Amino acid sequence: MRWIPFAIFAYVLVVLQATLGRILTIHLGGVGHVGPDLLAVLGLMLVLYLRSGTDAALAAGLLGLALDLTTAGGPGGATVVGPMALGYAAAAWVVFQVREAFFRERLTTRFLLTLLFCLIAHGLWVTLQSVRFLGDGSWAAYGASLLQAVVNSVYTALLAPLVMVGLDRVRRWMIVAPVDRRGRSR
Amino acid sequence: MRIRGKLSNRTALVVLLLAVTATTLAGRRLASRLRVAAQYVVPVLGDTGMYVATSFKSHVREITARGVTPAEAKRLHEERDEWRRRALAYEQQIARYIEHQKARRQLYGRVFDVPVELIPARVVAADALPYGSTRLVTGGTSRGAAPRQRVTTRRLHTDRGKALPEGLAALSGTVLVGRLMETGAFTARLQLVTDRGFQMRARVVRVIDPETPRRITTGGRVRALSRENNRPLEVLAVGDGAGGVLVEGVRVEENVLPGDWLVTRDDDALLPAQVAIGKVTRVEELPGGPHTVRLHVAPQASLDALREVYVVVPLGSRKAGD
């Protein structure tokens, strides 16, 4: 893992998501705003191609922390920093465990694993943020946030195969020696 | 596969997980400080990106606007002509009023003004995740910004074919868009009126339309709404997290209708003026509720395309040396 190129990519991507990402954000009646999580796609790519699960979890945790630091609104108002880092690290660990069962170049694999990654990360984030505020919030509000997280995950998963085509071209700048095509470490 | 030095990646992961668990448990205050520290790096690239995003959203909003049928167009033309006639009459009234005021000012020498300073700021980034509605704006504590200060649009409607009159602020199309929630030295986090955490005391102003009079109940008596009994309704406005604002607990007898205005209070110390927030779009009756309705309000400003704003800094709130 090359950490400096990774840090540069993470920075550029998080700024893109906080600015140009608004173009891809849409409003769905009954759900609220729905937008893609580009950092989750980067996180998934690292999980799929890194040899070490520790590296994958660390990189994903740092991506989650970057999201935490650039997001201030959420369930219950102002959010706390940390839940997304935990969510990303947990999602990376789970996906790393199941990646051997998939052909990672396939579009369906990328869709399904992005969906799994986002459901874990965003589900945990919404839950941890809501738990802190359930005193002055409500279970209905928590349910609405969870529904929003599911729709966001599906939206991100739909875009993931496209985004990963771009990320495939710059993968070698971040990963020194990726695992082979079948997913087993050499 | 290791960060250079003595720290192994496994140790780094453990440290990261422990640190973020601690920050999660620490709560909002620490989160706010950490986010303020992180705000220094986002505007470097964010300004250009936000310019593109807001321009795109404005453009999409224009081209996706619903077209009108010929019949609707005719009706709108007639309405426009009627409003022009009324506007002309009002302009004459205003001109007389201004002349009257001028004479009074010369006599007494006092001028009323809203005691605030407007700090121009620009939106440079939004939330990275779509769950909240906040924006990162330039203009932090170095320019007098502080948490809870109000933020408005920076827009002025004027007919350039005419000379601009005195007291131009009266013609301003200023709309409240939110308030500051976190401030750093050079940037601040703006919480939009539609964010779930937004709460503000406000007023509902009912619009009197002579063609469709409405009845209200005051003091147990049913009366027609008129200028005399049309007092603003004190309410609590809350962001719904889905692009709108909610107002709960308005009495059914007040007969609020779609088209009425939600405005700020002119006795608010942070923005002592009546500024529009949005327009009531739906009045929802609550089955089994205590005879009250819930108002759904659409923000008046186009928040998706928000770019240039004013931070409202009350006069006297700046620290010495600012």
Side-chain angles (χ1 to χ4, degrees):
Chain A
M1 179 78 182
R2 295 187 175 111
W3 290 101
I4 292 175
F6 162 74
I8 294 169
F9 268 103
Y11 169 64
V12 170
L13 218 53
V14 79
V15 172
L16 278 179
Q17 186 162 318
T19 55
L20 288 172
R22 303 298 305 170
I23 291 175
L24 298 172
T25 302
I26 51 177
H27 184 260
L28 287 182
V31 177
H33 286 98
V34 176
D37 183 359
L38 302 176
L39 267 73
V41 185
L42 176 61
L44 179 75
M45 190 200 73
L46 296 173
V47 173
L48 286 180
Y49 292 98
L50 276 174
R51 285 171 168 270
S52 157
T54 306
D55 279 11
L58 179 58
L62 290 171
L63 290 174
L65 184 60
L67 275 180
D68 271 325
L69 290 171
T70 48
T71 301
T79 55
V80 294
V81 169
M84 194 53 105
L86 292 171
Y88 263 50
W93 183 81
V94 171
V95 175
F96 193 84
Q97 302 304 312
V98 301
R99 70 177 187 173
E100 301 294 331
F102 295 90
F103 292 100
R104 66 202 60 198
E105 311 292 341
R106 289 193 176 173
L107 295 182
T108 45
T109 298
R110 292 176 168 189
F111 169 80
L112 287 174
L113 291 184
T114 307
L115 184 61
L116 177 65
F117 189 100
C118 286
L119 284 175
I120 295 169
H122 286 234
L124 198 60
W125 185 81
V126 164
T127 303
L128 288 175
Q129 298 286 3
S130 299
V131 161
R132 292 193 58 81
F133 302 110
L134 272 182
D136 52 340
S138 68
W139 287 103
Y142 171 57
S145 297
L146 215 50
L147 174 66
Q148 195 179 3
V150 172
V151 180
N152 277 325
S153 302
V154 173
Y155 187 30
T156 305
L158 286 170
L159 289 178
L162 280 175
V163 178
M164 285 192 89
V165 170
L167 290 177
D168 281 341
R169 294 174 184 276
V170 296
R171 194 172 62 214
R172 66 178 186 281
W173 297 352
M174 286 179 281
I175 302 172
V176 182
V179 288
D180 62 21
R181 284 191 67 183
R182 299 183 64 189
R184 294 182 175 82
S185 299
R186 280 175 278 186
Chain B
M1 291 293 174
R2 288 184 176 199
I3 295 173
R4 292 187 181 190
K6 292 178 181 175
L7 188 68
S8 73
N9 287 4
R10 187 176 295 271
T11 311
L13 178 60
V14 172
V15 170
L16 174 70
L17 293 178
L18 287 175
V20 295
T21 305
T23 55
T24 302
L25 295 173
R28 287 175 177 175
R29 187 167 291 184
L30 179 64
S32 175
R33 288 185 181 177
L34 291 171
R35 270 196 296 267
V36 166
Q39 283 174 13
Y40 289 103
V41 293
V42 174
V44 181
L45 284 182
D47 201 11
T48 311
M50 209 62 198
Y51 170 74
V52 175
T54 51
S55 301
F56 179 84
K57 286 280 183 182
S58 301
H59 191 61
V60 167
R61 194 182 166 88
E62 282 171 16
I63 61 177
T64 56
R66 187 177 67 87
V68 293
T69 62
E72 279 179 315
K74 189 183 172 195
R75 183 180 57 78
L76 288 170
H77 273 112
E78 288 170 359
E79 277 186 16
R80 184 195 61 187
D81 292 342
E82 171 59 24
W83 283 113
R84 274 186 177 165
R85 277 193 291 276
R86 288 191 194 183
L88 192 63
Y90 286 136
E91 273 179 18
Q92 289 168 352
Q93 276 185 24
I94 289 168
R96 280 197 297 274
Y97 177 74
I98 287 173
E99 286 301 317
H100 181 65
Q101 286 295 314
K102 262 187 188 173
R104 291 187 62 178
R105 273 182 206 161
Q106 282 172 358
L107 281 175
Y108 299 106
R110 289 189 66 183
V111 178
F112 171 77
D113 198 3
V114 180
V116 297
E117 187 180 354
L118 299 176
I119 308 294
R122 180 185 296 157
V123 175
V124 290
D127 265 342
L129 293 171
Y131 299 99
S133 302
T134 71
R135 298 285 186 271
L136 189 63
V137 297
T138 57
T141 51
S142 62
R143 298 176 67 189
R148 297 182 62 238
Q149 282 175 352
R150 312 312 193 212
V151 180
T152 67
T153 51
R154 204 191 318 172
R155 179 170 289 187
L156 194 68
H157 297 304
T158 174
D159 183 347
R160 284 186 294 178
K162 295 175 184 172
L164 297 177
E166 285 184 18
L168 193 59
L171 296 179
S172 145
T174 299
V175 174
L176 185 85
V177 292
R179 65 179 176 193
L180 298 185
M181 59 187 290
E182 294 166 356
T183 49
F186 305 107
T187 55
R189 181 69 68 171
L190 158 65
Q191 184 179 43
L192 298 178
V193 291
T194 56
D195 188 73
R196 279 195 188 94
F198 182 88
Q199 277 195 357
M200 184 184 179
R201 298 223 162 266
R203 285 179 179 152
V204 172
V205 176
R206 289 164 291 189
V207 177
I208 298 175
D209 182 359
E211 292 179 4
T212 53
R214 70 174 101 171
R215 320 285 290 177
I216 59 167
T217 307
T218 51
R221 294 180 60 188
V222 179
R223 298 187 172 106
L225 184 68
S226 64
R227 287 172 65 91
E228 288 70 36
N229 62 16
N230 186 13
R231 58 179 182 79
L233 308 176
E234 308 287 336
V235 295
L236 180 68
V238 182
D240 69 355
V245 179
L246 291 177
V247 175
E248 304 264 6
V250 177
R251 292 193 316 128
V252 175
E253 291 82 6
E254 302 291 0
N255 199 9
V256 176
L257 296 175
D260 291 341
W261 287 92
L262 181 69
V263 300
T264 58
R265 294 159 53 119
D266 52 14
D267 57 353
D268 181 355
L270 294 169
L271 176 56
Q274 195 163 285
V275 172
I277 301 173
K279 208 179 254 189
V280 176
T281 54
R282 190 158 66 94
V283 179
E284 185 185 359
E285 289 187 25
L286 302 175
H291 214 48
T292 59
V293 291
R294 176 190 290 153
L295 309 180
H296 295 258
V297 178
Q300 185 66 8
S302 173
L303 300 178
D304 279 341
L306 191 64
R307 176 74 174 152
E308 307 284 348
V309 293
Y310 276 130
V311 177
V312 181
V313 179
L315 289 181
S317 68
R318 277 177 180 253
K319 292 173 187 171
D322 281 351

